[in-house]
Amino acid sequence: MTSNSELKSTVALVTGASSGIGEATALTLARAGADVAIVARRQDRLDALASRLSDAGAKALVIAADITSQEQAQAAVEQTVSELGRLDTLVNNAGVMLLGPTVDAPLEEWQQMIKINVEGLLYCAHAALPHLLQAAQDSPRQIADMVNISSVAGRVARDGSGVYNLTKHGVGAFSEALRQEVTGRHVRVSLVEPGAVATELSSHNRPEIQEVIANRFGDVEILKAQDIADAIAYIVTRPWHMSINEILIRPTEQEG
């Protein structure tokens, strides 16, 4: 567990913060002392979360935005720095998982995954990098962090998740290349790859696909969003000389 002062005087931005891993991560970072900008499309969910962040002692900045828009993603980062003063931690959590056979798949599902999982992440990373580099220079902690949320699907290709695999493998490749580029300037780039987690992610699938997912994990004690939030907090609270490059987290009973 993190203490309530480990991230004091730092600012985090969490995308996809209106539910699930993003919501849990925002709360966990706030409890560790960070002020937090929360970004998602659902204003009402963000407003409710902001009240909980305030109760945890953090300044909370609500930004209702669609990160698949380059302009909105950049504006979210700039608003964070303008109103909270800096940016030390970016958690690229927003994503969508639309599974099913590749043959005769709805093309719009592929497009949606590429827009959110890849383009949205890249827009946020591009906008945030100058601020993270600056934070690494002027922070007493001597470090800044970008945490990109991938998936077991970024490691293991499976029948029925071809384009989701494509997007998450891409996130992993981008993260490692960027890590090599900026690690010498004290910006850590970390990859978190969750297995099955109890979030809204699977609910976006067509009903017949939801049934397949439910059958696959019906007998498995799946992870909670807080489990992933704890891992993210562990990453960003390490001392500057220690970088957690990658964490793969599966439920104990998940085989693949």
Side-chain angles (χ1 to χ4, degrees), residues 2-253:
T2 57
S3 76
N4 61 3
S5 63
E6 287 180 284
L7 297 179
K8 185 178 179 182
S9 302
T10 72
V11 172
L13 186 157
V14 181
T15 69
S18 60
S19 66
I21 293 169
E23 178 183 20
T25 299
L27 283 164
T28 301
L29 298 183
R31 290 166 183 152
D35 295 329
V36 186
I38 47 177
V39 181
R41 290 174 295 179
R42 293 180 288 187
Q43 176 87 44
D44 57 336
R45 294 280 193 97
L46 294 178
D47 288 339
L49 176 57
S51 296
R52 298 170 67 194
L53 296 175
S54 297
D55 291 343
K59 291 181 182 176
L61 176 61
V62 170
I63 304 176
D66 180 354
I67 62 159
T68 66
S69 160
Q70 187 272 331
E71 292 80 7
Q72 291 186 44
Q74 182 173 352
V77 171
E78 297 305 326
Q79 185 180 349
T80 299
V81 174
S82 174
E83 298 195 25
L84 297 181
R86 56 188 299 112
L87 180 60
D88 301 87
T89 304
L90 170 65
V91 180
N92 273 317
N93 167 72
V96 65
M97 177 186 73
L98 301 172
L99 306 182
T102 298
V103 176
D104 296 326
L107 190 58
E108 59 269 21
E109 291 187 352
W110 295 2
Q111 294 167 328
Q112 186 178 357
M113 284 189 283
I114 291 169
K115 283 181 177 295
I116 299 175
N117 299 358
V118 179
E119 293 181 10
L121 182 146
L122 292 177
Y123 294 150
C124 292
H126 186 271
L129 272 167
H131 302 291
L132 295 174
L133 288 163
Q134 182 62 45
Q137 287 185 0
D138 65 26
S139 168
R141 299 178 66 239
Q142 304 179 60
I143 202 72
D145 288 280
M146 180 187 301
V147 181
N148 295 329
I149 308 305
S150 180
S151 168
V152 170
R155 288 254 194 135
V156 181
R158 291 181 61 92
D159 178 4
S161 60
V163 177
Y164 186 59
N165 286 141
L166 180 154
T167 64
K168 293 303 187 179
H169 275 74
V171 168
F174 169 74
S175 299
E176 174 56 17
L178 179 60
R179 183 197 69 78
Q180 294 176 29
E181 181 177 340
V182 298
T183 192
R185 300 171 70 180
H186 287 204
V187 174
R188 300 182 292 205
V189 181
S190 303
L191 189 70
V192 178
E193 299 161 304
V197 185
T199 69
E200 297 179 1
L201 200 62
S202 63
S203 69
H204 301 145
N205 285 274
R206 287 167 277 146
E208 65 272 22
I209 304 301
Q210 290 186 44
E211 184 177 353
V212 171
I213 296 170
N215 289 337
R216 180 184 173 201
F217 294 107
D219 296 328
V220 173
E221 180 72 24
I222 64 175
L223 300 169
K224 299 176 176 62
Q226 188 62 50
D227 297 325
I228 310 305
D230 289 342
I232 294 167
Y234 177 77
I235 288 169
V236 303
T237 55
R238 295 310 88 201
W240 72 268
H241 68 277
M242 178 179 177
S243 178
I244 308 300
N245 303 149
E246 187 174 7
I247 296 183
L248 172 63
I249 312 172
R250 287 186 178 98
T252 299
E253 298 172 321

